[in-house]
Amino acid sequence: VQGAINRIELVDGDGRKHRLLVQNGAHAAVWRLAEARVSPLGIAALFAPVIPGVEVTAFDLQMPFLYWPDAVLQSINRILGRPAHAFLFRPPADFAAEHPEVAAARAFLDTQFNALLQTELIGRDGRILKTFSLVSLKTVDKQPVPKSVDFLNGITRDKTRLQVKGIALHLDLAPSLFEPAALAEEIGPPAAAKILRLDP
């Protein structure tokens, strides 16, 4: 099963660009452009911050556990005031060998729309290592769009909030732009008329 493919470009505080291609699904992978070279990230590198000083990693963006085969439905919980199915995912052997500190991941999906509301990365001692939380949504053209999300480090209690300031839907993008080799290619922003600015 092939999951979503996301091309991501971030700019750090020093103005440096960081570009990644994040592939989810049964054959999940992440590629990064660095010094004009595109390279795949190993399992260990997935847990490094994507840019200095933030609590967001390639693993957080990829969420590969959603495709781990060993999953069970645990319960129904209320998340953001909505009923959500709580699924527990156990890591496959190759991941567990690289990251023995990770015992499982839990994902909460809205019972009506199957939308992801929250995830938790669980340590061997039962502590929550990392939490992703959807803070707010906006429906645009009948499509729910996240307005803000939080990434919370359960050990240090450091938090990074990502806020969506504008979106552009129905873009006609060439599939080749989502190939690893194309990461070196610059993609300009959509025309201003296509960008819908979201209220704070």
Side-chain angles (χ1 to χ4, degrees):
V1 177
Q2 182 172 329
I5 304 175
N6 294 288
R7 182 174 166 138
I8 299 166
E9 183 173 300
L10 303 169
V11 180
D12 65 23
D14 295 325
R16 290 175 299 201
K17 292 182 179 179
H18 301 263
R19 200 175 296 163
L20 300 99
L21 187 69
V22 180
Q23 165 73 65
N24 212 329
H27 303 289
V30 177
W31 295 266
R32 184 170 194 142
L33 177 68
E35 298 178 358
R37 292 183 55 205
V38 177
S39 304
L41 293 185
I43 292 177
L46 291 177
F47 283 80
V50 289
I51 58 175
V54 303
E55 280 298 332
V56 184
T57 69
F59 183 87
D60 297 327
L61 299 171
Q62 185 186 43
M63 298 185 188
F65 49 82
L66 296 175
Y67 292 85
W68 287 350
D70 187 5
V72 294
L73 175 61
Q74 285 190 311
S75 60
I76 295 180
N77 301 64
R78 294 198 72 81
I79 305 292
L80 289 177
R82 297 189 57 84
H85 289 121
F87 288 91
L88 187 73
F89 302 85
R90 299 285 181 186
D94 60 339
F95 182 93
E98 287 277 354
H99 287 281
E101 74 278 12
V102 176
R106 186 179 291 115
F108 300 89
L109 286 86
D110 185 282
T111 58
Q112 183 178 359
F113 300 107
N114 210 33
L116 185 63
L117 301 177
Q118 184 171 300
T119 67
E120 297 171 342
L121 198 62
I122 304 168
R124 289 288 171 191
D125 57 2
R127 287 193 299 173
I128 304 299
L129 304 176
K130 194 73 169 285
T131 302
F132 157 86
S133 299
L134 178 66
V135 177
S136 62
L137 274 172
K138 183 178 181 66
T139 300
V140 179
D141 196 12
K142 299 182 180 179
Q143 180 173 328
V145 176
K147 282 185 63 179
S148 58
V149 298
D150 284 346
F151 295 90
L152 174 66
N153 186 317
I155 306 303
T156 65
R157 308 307 295 173
D158 291 333
K159 182 176 75 172
T160 294
R161 173 165 289 182
L162 299 182
Q163 292 183 299
V164 178
K165 301 294 188 180
I167 62 168
L169 301 176
H170 313 299
L171 298 178
D172 185 16
L173 300 175
S176 60
L177 290 175
F178 297 90
E179 295 290 336
L183 265 184
E185 297 179 26
E186 292 283 346
I187 300 178
K194 288 185 172 288
I195 300 176
L196 174 66
R197 299 297 174 183
L198 302 184
D199 296 329

